[in-house]
Amino acid sequence: MKTKTWIQKNMPSLSGKVIAVSGSTGGIGVVLCEHLASLGAELILLDRNQGKAASLQEKLEAQFSGVKIRRIRMDLEEMASVKAAVCELLREPLDGLILNAGAYHIPRCKCDTGLDNVFQINFVAPYYLARELKAHLEARGGRLVAVGSIAHNYSETDPKDVDFSTRGKHSLAYGNAKRFLMYSLYGLYDGKPGLAVVHPGITFTNITAHYPKVIFAIIKHPMKVIFMKPRRACLSILKGLAEDCGRNEWIGPRWFDVWGVPGKRVLKTCKANEAEWICQTAEKIYEGMGTP
């Protein structure tokens, strides 16, 4: 099924709906915003690079007549920036928040919270956003859409190394953070409406462009052929705006979590005692962040 046909058959109009998107200028983010604008949504671009966000705004305004777009600076490595963004979002009539931003193969460092930056970008800051804005979204019948990853399968969490700061392997640090994000949100919503955990499968974006230059030059073209393009991969995210996920459910490509139109399935990758520990740890970290 063609992407446009799938959207016409499965997505309601978003006219008059205000949707905030983190990581809006990334590979998935740009095409996601294009899809949202085509459905009539008003967009709030949450991005640390305001130059890129302004360029995207200009592009979307030229492409979609009458589209309404606002920009809020937000750097997930800086909790002060995240808190400032929360204050602005609380003043918006928010119908949807898409936690799309993420970072994989980046120089590792400690943030001002004392936590590893991969952990903070992919879990701590997004969870804080979800926690602070949950009631605000619920008041309008809005929805939180969190982008997870198949990388959450790579390893179990470790109470002795919560942020995986001792693990040099980027895939483990990224997977651990996504595991925290997904299962903490399942606990936060506890099966109640308003949450969708989604994943795009594997697609060609900056997240996947992390191999050494020589290897990447060889594999990038086969990757573009083998895996779904971002425009199609982000259909799972769109579906998350139209359909809730229950506890431990996620929406993603139907075949092997890699190809096909979006489908929903129940995850069995985290035992109950680990999931409970993740939720407890998430709340402790959140409480240590303070209020905006």
Side-chain angles (χ1 to χ4, degrees):
M1 185 184 296
K2 292 183 178 180
T3 300
K4 187 175 181 180
T5 303
W6 185 93
I7 291 174
Q8 290 173 343
K9 288 186 174 182
N10 293 276
M11 289 301 299
S13 169
L14 296 177
S15 179
K17 301 292 186 182
V18 178
I19 311 293
V21 183
S22 71
S24 54
T25 62
I28 286 280
V30 170
V31 294
L32 174 61
C33 287
E34 289 175 354
H35 284 318
L36 293 169
S38 74
L39 289 165
E42 297 181 24
L43 298 176
I44 300 175
L45 310 180
L46 303 173
D47 207 280
R48 66 175 181 169
N49 189 321
Q50 287 297 284
K52 284 186 177 181
S55 295
L56 176 58
Q57 180 176 355
E58 290 177 9
K59 175 185 175 182
L60 293 172
E61 288 174 342
Q63 189 175 354
F64 302 98
S65 178
V67 66
K68 296 180 180 179
I69 299 174
R70 299 183 287 287
R71 291 179 280 115
I72 295 177
R73 183 187 180 275
M74 184 176 72
D75 187 338
L76 298 180
E77 281 191 312
E78 303 171 1
M79 285 309 300
S81 172
V82 177
K83 291 178 180 181
V86 165
C87 290
E88 291 195 55
L89 288 169
L90 286 171
R91 293 193 289 267
E92 297 284 351
L94 203 59
D95 298 293
L97 171 62
I98 301 177
L99 300 176
N100 168 67
Y104 185 103
H105 198 278
I106 60 174
R108 304 280 291 281
C109 66
K110 291 285 186 182
C111 296
D112 54 6
T113 58
L115 295 166
D116 182 85
N117 60 336
V118 170
F119 189 69
Q120 179 158 313
I121 291 168
N122 294 290
F123 161 62
V124 176
Y127 184 77
Y128 182 86
L129 284 163
R131 193 72 167 72
E132 288 291 315
L133 295 169
K134 182 173 183 286
H136 187 58
L137 284 165
E138 289 174 339
R140 289 178 60 87
R143 191 185 310 277
L144 175 72
V145 180
V147 178
S149 171
I150 55 177
H152 85 276
N153 290 302
Y154 291 170
S155 63
E156 292 185 5
T157 52
D158 184 355
K160 295 180 180 179
D161 187 15
V162 173
D163 60 356
F164 271 33
S165 58
T166 67
R167 267 74 161 187
K169 203 169 182 179
H170 290 82
S171 59
L172 294 180
Y174 177 75
N176 175 64
K178 285 296 187 180
R179 193 175 181 93
F180 258 94
L181 179 63
M182 292 162 59
Y183 283 94
S184 63
L185 293 177
Y186 288 136
L188 181 62
Y189 277 81
D190 195 24
K192 297 180 177 65
L195 171 70
V197 175
V198 304
H199 74 106
I202 301 174
T203 187
F204 191 78
T205 66
N206 290 337
I207 289 286
T208 49
H210 60 268
Y211 298 96
K213 289 183 179 180
V214 174
I215 295 176
F216 183 63
I218 297 171
I219 67 172
K220 67 178 181 180
H221 296 297
M223 283 179 71
K224 289 180 180 180
V225 174
I226 294 170
F227 300 119
M228 293 192 299
K229 290 180 171 59
R231 185 166 297 279
R232 187 173 178 84
C234 69
L235 294 183
S236 298
I237 305 175
L238 288 181
K239 188 176 178 69
L241 283 172
E243 187 173 340
D244 286 319
C245 286
R247 191 149 193 163
N248 297 351
E249 288 184 334
W250 76 347
I251 296 168
R254 193 176 299 276
W255 302 106
F256 308 105
D257 293 328
V258 176
W259 299 283
V261 295
K264 184 189 290 185
R265 72 180 181 88
V266 177
L267 295 173
K268 299 179 181 179
T269 50
C270 185
K271 294 180 180 177
N273 59 343
E274 184 190 359
E276 183 179 357
W277 177 78
I278 287 173
C279 293
Q280 292 172 351
T281 304
E283 280 298 292
K284 287 179 182 177
I285 292 173
Y286 165 74
E287 289 166 4
M289 295 296 102
T291 56

